[in-house]
């Protein structure tokens, strides 16, 4: 997962939208270069095309193979040059593989930016693309490159999925338009789920603060997503609906925990994930996500989890998964079989004896 929550949201969102219509690769490595393309898309061949790419302007952009480079902030000249160099590296690789490839079959580059200054347009030689809506610029034909200024796009349904990648008021308005879409709608639900992922990541990861409009819109998206989860439970039966909602939330929380644990504790932290995956209470996983942010030592995490374990014991909840996590925290060098054997042994002891064994290792 990307350390930048918005970058992760943008890539995942584009990947999910485009996956039904072709092959999507995130962070594709350029052969012979120590560089990566943000997102590479190659539509399926016409005879196997499942349906027209009904994504409005985004669909028109991706009718042919292309590279997509979303930016949270306005790129500088070096950023644009870097994008262009990646496009040329991809083209060079294709020509090495097939020297007969036609110019018309080469990929395009689409740079998605919130806004760009007038001086930047002139410096890049970019001009408005007459066959596309306002906000769409093209570089000289040789470069096979377009720049989409998201804040200049008209506020229509055809530009919605691109405006959702904007910033500030432009993005918050797009989020509210998504919420207002007819319900149920698959892409509405997809967008809400990824926006919720982004909101939670913003709460966990240290990032520059987002503007108030975006934060409020993300909170509204979160409330709408919660409502949708409840409605699924009501429509399909409480048990089935709750299970589906739990699975979605669990995957999201475990992904964020995996990232935090790897950053703070490396392989030792990652080894905790299988044990955390056994914990049934999503509230507990979410509380750990919030608590782990200021932690700097393994011992701090041990203390937090053992205190939580004592609360669980007092409330009479199921302790097996909690013991597994506690044991892995106490004995990180032990493998899964050894942890399971210790868990079975401790489950037979009185709580005070089990706690003493956990804390002392004897």
């Amino acid at each position: 997962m990307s350390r930048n929550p918005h970058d992760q949201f943008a890539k995942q969102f584009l990947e999910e939208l485009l996956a039904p219509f072709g092959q999507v690769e995130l962070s594709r490595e350029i052969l012979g270069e120590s560089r990566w393309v943000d997102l590479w898309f190659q539509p399926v061949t016409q005879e196997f095309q499942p349906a027209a790419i009904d994504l409005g302007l985004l669909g028109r952009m991706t009718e042919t193979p292309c590279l997509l480079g979303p930016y949270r902030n306005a790129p500088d000249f070096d950023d644009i040059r870097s994008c262009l160099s990646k496009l040329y590296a991809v083209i060079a690789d294709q020509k090495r593989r097939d020297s007969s490839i036609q110019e018309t079959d080469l990929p395009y580059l689409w740079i998605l930016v919130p806004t760009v200054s007038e001086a930047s347009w002139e410096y890049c030689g970019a001009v408005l693309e007459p066959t596309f809506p306002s906000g769409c610029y093209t570089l000289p034909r040789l470069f096979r490159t377009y720049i989409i200024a998201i804040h200049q796009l008209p506020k229509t349904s055809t530009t919605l999925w691109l405006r959702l990648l904007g910033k500030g008021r432009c993005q918050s308005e797009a989020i509210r338009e998504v919420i207002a879409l007819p319900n149920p709608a698959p892409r509405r639900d997809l967008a809400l789920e990824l926006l919720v992922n982004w909101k939670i990541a913003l709460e966990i990861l240290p990032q520059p603060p987002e503007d108030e409009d975006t934060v409020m819109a993300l909170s509204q998206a979160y409330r709408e997503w919660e409502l949708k989860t409840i409605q699924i439970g009501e429509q399909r039966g409480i048990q089935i609906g709750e299970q589906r909602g739990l699975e979605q939330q669990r995957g999201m929380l475990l992904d964020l925990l995996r990232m935090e644990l790897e950053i703070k504790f490396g392989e030792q932290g990652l080894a905790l994930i299988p044990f955390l995956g056994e914990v049934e209470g999503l509230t507990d996983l979410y509380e750990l996500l919030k608590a782990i942010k200021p932690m700097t030592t393994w011992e701090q995490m041990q203390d937090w989890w053992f205190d939580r374990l004592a609360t669980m014991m007092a409330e009479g909840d199921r302790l097996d998964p909690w013991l597994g996590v506690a044991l892995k925290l106490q004995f990180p060098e032990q493998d899964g079989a050894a942890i399971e054997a210790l868990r079975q042994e401790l489950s037979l002891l009185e709580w005070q004896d089990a706690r003493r064994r956990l804390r002392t290792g004897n």
Side-chain angles (χ1 to χ4, degrees):
M1 179 178 287
S2 170
R3 182 70 175 170
N4 184 316
H6 180 270
D7 183 57
Q8 180 69 15
F9 162 70
K11 291 179 182 179
Q12 283 188 336
F13 182 64
L14 290 170
E15 178 187 23
E16 294 290 345
L17 283 182
L18 295 172
F21 308 107
Q23 180 184 1
V24 183
E25 294 182 52
L26 298 182
S27 300
R28 178 182 182 180
E29 186 175 11
I30 301 173
L31 297 180
E33 300 281 346
S34 57
R35 291 174 294 174
W36 301 81
V37 172
D38 285 344
L39 187 146
W40 162 262
F41 177 72
Q42 187 165 359
V44 296
T45 56
Q46 191 63 38
E47 57 267 29
F48 294 109
Q49 184 81 15
I53 302 182
D54 56 343
L55 298 175
L57 179 57
L58 179 60
R60 289 184 62 189
M61 292 163 47
T62 53
E63 288 175 349
T64 58
C66 61
L67 286 65
L68 297 172
Y71 281 87
R72 182 59 172 165
N73 299 302
D76 57 26
F77 297 147
D78 286 337
D79 291 326
I80 295 175
R81 277 191 285 262
S82 176
C83 283
L84 290 170
S85 69
K86 293 174 184 179
L87 172 67
Y88 301 150
V90 169
I91 290 176
D93 180 57
Q94 290 189 332
K95 285 184 172 290
R96 281 195 297 267
R97 295 171 182 268
D98 180 7
S99 60
S100 64
I101 190 170
Q102 299 298 306
E103 185 74 13
T104 53
D105 295 326
L106 296 175
Y108 286 94
L109 167 66
W110 297 88
I111 304 175
L112 311 178
V113 302
T115 187
V116 179
S117 68
E118 190 66 32
S120 295
W121 296 132
E122 294 178 1
Y123 191 80
C124 295
V127 297
L128 282 169
E129 170 53 59
T131 63
F132 279 81
S134 59
C136 301
Y137 295 79
T138 179
L139 271 58
R141 291 176 60 190
L142 175 67
F143 299 130
R144 302 184 69 79
T145 296
Y146 294 87
I147 302 177
I148 306 296
I150 295 174
H151 289 201
Q152 297 179 23
L153 293 173
K155 297 176 183 178
T156 65
S157 59
T158 60
T159 66
L160 175 57
W161 305 119
L162 288 170
R163 287 186 289 115
L164 202 58
L165 302 177
K167 190 175 182 180
R169 180 177 297 179
C170 172
Q171 185 178 49
S172 62
E173 289 176 349
I175 292 174
R176 294 185 177 96
E177 289 178 42
V178 168
I179 294 172
L181 288 173
N183 188 16
R187 289 186 184 126
R188 176 186 186 273
D189 296 343
L190 164 67
L192 287 178
E193 183 177 342
L194 293 177
L195 287 167
V196 167
N197 288 2
W198 180 22
K199 178 182 183 297
I200 292 177
L202 286 174
E203 294 175 355
I204 301 303
L205 300 176
Q207 293 289 322
E210 290 287 342
D211 59 89
E212 187 175 350
D213 278 344
T214 299
V215 172
M216 291 179 63
L218 287 174
S219 297
Q220 187 177 353
Y222 186 86
R223 290 192 296 271
E224 193 71 18
W225 180 77
E226 283 187 316
L227 178 61
K228 176 65 178 178
T229 302
I230 293 172
Q231 289 173 341
I232 291 174
E234 292 174 347
Q235 292 167 0
R236 301 189 179 184
I238 297 301
Q239 185 175 5
I240 296 175
E242 286 182 350
Q243 184 60 36
R244 179 176 176 180
L246 289 174
E247 289 173 357
Q248 291 175 339
Q249 294 177 60
R250 183 182 304 280
M252 176 177 62
L253 290 172
L254 288 174
D255 278 345
L256 290 169
L257 275 169
R258 181 179 293 106
M259 176 172 57
E260 280 296 309
L261 289 169
E262 182 178 14
I263 290 171
K264 291 179 179 291
F265 305 112
E267 292 298 323
Q268 181 172 292
L270 286 176
L272 271 178
I273 292 299
F275 298 91
L276 289 170
E278 297 178 8
V279 175
E280 295 177 358
L282 296 188
T283 299
D284 301 308
L285 295 178
Y286 184 68
E287 290 299 321
L288 175 59
L289 263 176
K290 292 193 294 184
I292 201 175
K293 185 176 179 180
M295 293 181 185
T296 57
T297 67
W298 189 258
E299 289 72 21
Q300 288 174 323
M301 191 159 57
Q302 285 180 323
D303 291 341
W304 186 91
W305 194 262
F306 290 154
D307 289 343
R308 201 81 172 172
L309 188 63
T311 301
M312 292 285 288
M313 182 63 186
E315 294 175 354
D317 288 337
R318 180 168 173 258
L319 283 178
D320 283 357
W322 283 77
L323 282 173
V325 178
L327 286 165
K328 191 62 178 177
L329 283 166
Q330 183 66 28
F331 309 109
E333 72 285 352
Q334 297 291 339
D335 61 18
I339 294 297
E340 180 59 29
L342 286 170
R343 178 161 55 182
Q344 293 296 328
E345 182 180 341
L346 289 183
S347 65
L348 301 175
L349 301 178
E350 295 293 332
W351 165 238
Q352 292 301 328
D353 293 335
R355 181 178 175 83
R356 189 179 307 110
R357 175 75 179 275
L358 278 169
R359 297 300 278 175
T360 63
N362 299 314

